[in-house]
């Protein structure tokens, strides 16, 4: 099942079912009316996908019942009040206000292996802000802060919360997956977002802080829908690619990730109580030669950024360069 | 005005205190006041003007300010109750006082903002600016709740003052910065200092050169690593935000001592700087940065878990946290 959040022409938010390879969007609330009353189990379809995720098994069962009713009814499929062409509505990010939004740093095996690491290395990560999140076709605004680039990723949406989740139970906590581009101010990270502190014992330490270079407004285009866990292709074998206009600028596979989805969920849950709607972005893949981070200069090149995770969908975001915004 | 979020057994509610010992349920008390004045729809009106959830209250306008003023005035006299006689006044000891803003959209925390450490640090060759990181709402815990510390080496105290944002904004001007702050709270930005040094870094080999990157997702963000409160003190109550003494005590011994006067970057810098990158929302929290240790103490070597006990975090005019330390 592919569940999305969309905006109707009068600006109302609604949950949609993406069908026909994402060419069509069905309004979940309306389709659910076609489910026999006994099977509705008194469920009220919310307008906000986050709410449906929080509703747990009841929400998921309702969406499934609605999809079955829809696919079995040519009348409903042809009803222009309930089913629309995908390009006739505005798709939003599937979860726009997650309780938490984790993003895994350096998870590509090649980069990870050649990096200098602590003695007992494990995943490192940072927090992104909800104000980064925009929809799959919304503008991404690139400030005037040096080269800012693309980081195509697959993101996990947590369905069932928990803490100290064992790895072999971790996938039971996944609601589904979506496509994310963790837009990053690579030049700013290198040049300005660090400080080398001198400690009272005479030692020094260089600290970098990701609060700003990862978190400008619109730095997390996401969508176009959530593919529910039961129907998702193997998240640890996904081809990830990004194009800047017609140029393929990133290419790789989550098969090359050091830490897979289950390991990440388990590791994060040892420190943080996970909650329904939490997002875990699982790490990017390297630039595709001859492209490098300094060359992938989204703001100055401009155009359209395309972000794809095969089997999970595609984002197409126009780039707007905000000259003078730092 | 001193506001809080408290729980007396049902839902979380916004409270107001005059003396720190009695907490008034703002929504119920205001409904009671309206009812006594003959307002037929007292509860519905109070839900809009004096909502029971703190961010909704912060979003309120002039009528909310009037309501808070009336509740505060009546609270000083005592005897407040809801429109149907519901209990609207509680002893602070009888309720669970939570972090004042339990579910903010964002928590920013400014790194290395005290003059003593900032000025001796090596910094990038550009205009001086602060670094910062993001904390998650699951860090938040109440002013008297346990700080749960796993076995991850030295975990220590970072006492700070945190501001709460009052309205949605981007690109705020320095002269308008204080208009965007609702009030201030005491915060302890509990930090896994040893984890930071030993494991939360990687030196990435890149075509454009090596980069040492440190990531704060874990060492700053374990559950309960942000005790906060007890009050959200509205800014009008604070005489000089740039001159408040700050002290953290571990089992009665001073481990951090300083003042908001130690901060390099003040609010007229930070609010414009943050809002140039991020749209601020009502209820967002910005933690200002910590202070140093007294002579002969290194707070980054204080092992809260190993030594156990309790941690007090006191900021003049804002209030004191007193959190037991719970090894997990």
């Amino acid at each position: 099942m592919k569940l999305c959040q969309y905006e109707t022409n009068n600006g109302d938010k609604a949950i949609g079912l993406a069908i026909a390879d994402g060419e069509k969007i069905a309004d979940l609330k309306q389709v659910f009316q076609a489910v026999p009353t006994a099977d509705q189990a008194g469920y009220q379809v919310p307008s906000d996908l986050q709410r449906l995720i929080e509703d747990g098994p009841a929400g998921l069962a309702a969406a499934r019942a609605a999809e079955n009713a829809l696919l079995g009814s040519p009348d409903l499929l042809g009803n222009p009040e309930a089913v629309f062409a995908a390009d006739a509505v505005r798709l939003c990010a599937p979860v726009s206000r997650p309780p938490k939004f984790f993003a895994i740093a350096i998870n590509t095996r090649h980069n990870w292996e050649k990096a200098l690491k602590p003695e007992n290395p494990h995943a490192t990560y940072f927090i992104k802000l909800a104000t980064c999140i925009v929809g799959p076709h919304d503008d991404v605004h690139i400030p005037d802060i040096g080269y800012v680039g693309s980081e195509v990723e697959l993101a996990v949406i947590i369905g069932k919360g928990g803490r100290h989740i064992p790895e072999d139970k971790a996938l039971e906590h996944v609601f589904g997956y979506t496509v994310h581009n963790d837009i990053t101010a690579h030049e700013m990270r290198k040049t300005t977002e660090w400080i080398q502190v001198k400690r009272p014992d005479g030692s020094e330490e260089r600290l970098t802080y990701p609060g700003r270079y990862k978190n400008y407004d619109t730095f997390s285009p996401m969508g176009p829908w959530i593919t529910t866990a039961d129907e998702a292709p193997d998240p640890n074998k996904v081809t990830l690619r990004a194009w800047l206009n017609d140029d393929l600028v990133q290419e790789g596979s989550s098969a090359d990730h050091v830490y897979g989805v289950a390991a990440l969920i388990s590791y994060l849950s040892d420190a943080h109580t996970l909650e329904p709607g939490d997002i875990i972005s699982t790490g990017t893949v390297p630039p595709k030669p001859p492209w490098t981070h300094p060359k992938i200069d989204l703001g100055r090149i401009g155009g359209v950024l395309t972000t794809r995770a095969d089997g999970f969908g595609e984002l197409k975001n126009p780039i707007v360069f905000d000259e003078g915004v730092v | 005005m001193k506001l809080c979020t408290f729980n007396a057994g049902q839902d979380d509610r916004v409270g107001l205190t005059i003396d720190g010992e009695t907490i008034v349920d703002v929504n119920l008390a205001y409904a009671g006041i309206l009812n006594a004045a003959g307002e037929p729809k007292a509860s519905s009106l109070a839900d809009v003007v004096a909502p029971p959830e703190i961010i909704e209250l912060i979003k309120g306008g002039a009528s909310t300010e009037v309501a808070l003023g009336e509740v505060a005035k009546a609270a000083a006299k005592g005897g407040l109750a809801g429109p149907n006689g519901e209990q609207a006044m509680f002893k602070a000891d009888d309720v669970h006082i939570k972090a004042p803003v339990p579910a903010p959209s964002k928590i920013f925390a400014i790194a290395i903002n005290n003059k003593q450490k900032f000025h001796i640090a090596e910094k990038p060759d550009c205009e001086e600016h602060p670094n910062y990181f993001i904390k998650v709402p699951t860090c938040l815990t109440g002013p008297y709740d346990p700080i749960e510390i796993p076995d991850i080496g030295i975990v220590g105290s970072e006492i700070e003052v945190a501001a709460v944002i009052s309205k949605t904004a981007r690109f705020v001007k320095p002269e308008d910065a204080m208009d965007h702050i609702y009030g201030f709270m005491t915060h302890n930005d509990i930090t896994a200092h040893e984890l930071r040094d030993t494991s939360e870094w990687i030196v990435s080999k890149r075509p454009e050169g090596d980069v040492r990157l440190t990531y704060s997702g874990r060492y700053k963000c374990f559950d309960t690593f942000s005790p906060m409160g007890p009050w959200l003190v509205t800014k009008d109550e604070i005489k000089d935000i740039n001159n408040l003494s700050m002290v953290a005590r571990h089992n009665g011994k001073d481990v951090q001592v300083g003042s908001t006067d130690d901060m390099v970057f003040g609010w007229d810098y930070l609010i414009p700087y943050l809002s140039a990158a991020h749209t601020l929302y009502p209820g967002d929290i910005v933690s200002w940065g910590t202070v140093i240790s007294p002579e002969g103490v290194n707070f980054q070597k204080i092992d809260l878990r190993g030594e156990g006990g309790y941690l007090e975090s006191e900021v003049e005019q804002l209030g004191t946290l007193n959190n037991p330390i719970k090894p997990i």
Side-chain angles (χ1 to χ4, degrees), chain B residues 217-284:
Chain B
R218 198 169 186 88
Y219 73 79
K220 286 285 191 183
C221 286
F222 282 80
D223 283 5
T224 75
F225 271 25
S226 279
M228 213 175 270
W231 322 116
L232 164 53
V233 181
T234 52
K235 65 182 172 195
D236 57 294
E237 286 228 344
I238 296 158
K239 290 185 195 79
D240 180 3
I241 189 61
N242 296 310
N243 191 20
L244 300 179
S245 66
M246 300 163 70
V247 56
R249 289 181 217 97
H250 180 217
N251 296 334
K253 179 188 164 195
D254 290 359
V255 292
Q256 291 186 277
V257 177
S259 154
T260 53
D261 182 46
D262 296 340
M263 299 298 133
V264 179
F265 299 99
W267 295 108
D268 58 345
Y269 182 95
L270 290 172
I271 299 296
Y273 187 67
L274 292 171
S275 73
H278 325 280
T279 302
L280 303 180
Y281 290 149
D284 281 357

Side-chain angles (χ1 to χ4, degrees), chain A residues 25-216:
Chain A
I25 305 294
D27 180 89
L28 186 67
K29 212 177 266 184
Q30 292 193 51
V31 172
F32 191 63
Q33 299 312 312
V35 172
T37 312
D39 296 341
Q40 290 188 7
Y43 189 72
Q44 301 278 329
V45 173
S47 304
D48 185 352
L49 184 48
Q50 165 81 28
R51 277 282 316 285
L52 184 127
I53 295 168
E54 287 167 7
D55 288 340
L60 201 54
R64 237 180 236 127
E67 190 180 52
N68 289 338
L70 173 67
L71 298 178
S73 165
D75 278 0
L76 198 50
L77 281 168
N79 177 353
E81 298 291 307
V83 182
F84 326 98
D87 53 14
V89 297
R90 180 178 162 253
L91 285 175
C92 309
V95 175
S96 57
R97 213 189 138 175
K100 294 188 279 304
F101 184 177
F102 301 99
I104 310 301
I106 307 164
N107 196 14
T108 305
R109 188 167 298 281
H110 178 70
N111 285 346
W112 188 82
E113 278 174 355
K114 68 179 184 177
L116 299 178
K117 294 181 290 291
E119 236 172 89
N120 298 304
H122 52 71
T124 48
Y125 54 95
F126 52 93
I127 312 297
K128 295 204 74 160
L129 295 170
T131 34
C132 295
I133 298 174
V134 290
H137 308 131
D138 290 345
D139 292 347
V140 291
H141 286 260
I142 306 296
D144 199 351
I145 50 174
Y147 55 87
V148 174
S150 162
E151 296 201 2
V152 52
E153 312 205 356
L154 185 72
V156 177
I157 311 293
I158 294 296
K160 186 171 72 168
R163 195 161 178 209
H164 303 300
I165 300 166
E167 200 171 322
D168 61 356
K169 302 265 187 223
L171 295 182
E172 295 170 15
H173 292 259
V174 176
F175 182 85
Y177 302 89
T178 194
V179 185
H180 172 219
N181 199 313
D182 171 29
I183 306 275
T184 303
H186 291 117
E187 183 167 353
M188 182 184 222
R189 173 174 68 189
K190 197 169 81 167
T191 56
T192 70
E193 300 309 289
W194 62 270
I195 185 162
Q196 183 140 340
V197 291
K198 299 185 197 317
R199 307 233 186 260
D201 61 8
S203 65
E204 295 193 11
E205 185 170 18
R206 185 182 166 109
L207 299 167
T208 52
Y209 288 99
R212 197 171 185 86
Y213 72 78
K214 287 284 190 183
N215 275 318
Y216 279 81

Side-chain angles (χ1 to χ4, degrees), chain A residues 217-262:
Chain A
D217 281 5
T218 79
F219 268 24
S220 281
M222 207 178 280
W225 42 72
I226 298 175
T227 303
T228 52
D230 56 326
E231 289 182 17
D234 184 348
N236 298 315
K237 285 181 187 160
V238 183
T239 300
L240 298 164
R241 283 176 288 182
W243 290 261
L244 180 50
N245 303 314
D246 294 329
D247 292 309
L248 181 64
V249 295
Q250 281 187 279
E251 186 175 37
S253 165
S254 62
D256 296 324
H257 280 172
V258 180
Y259 302 101
V261 170

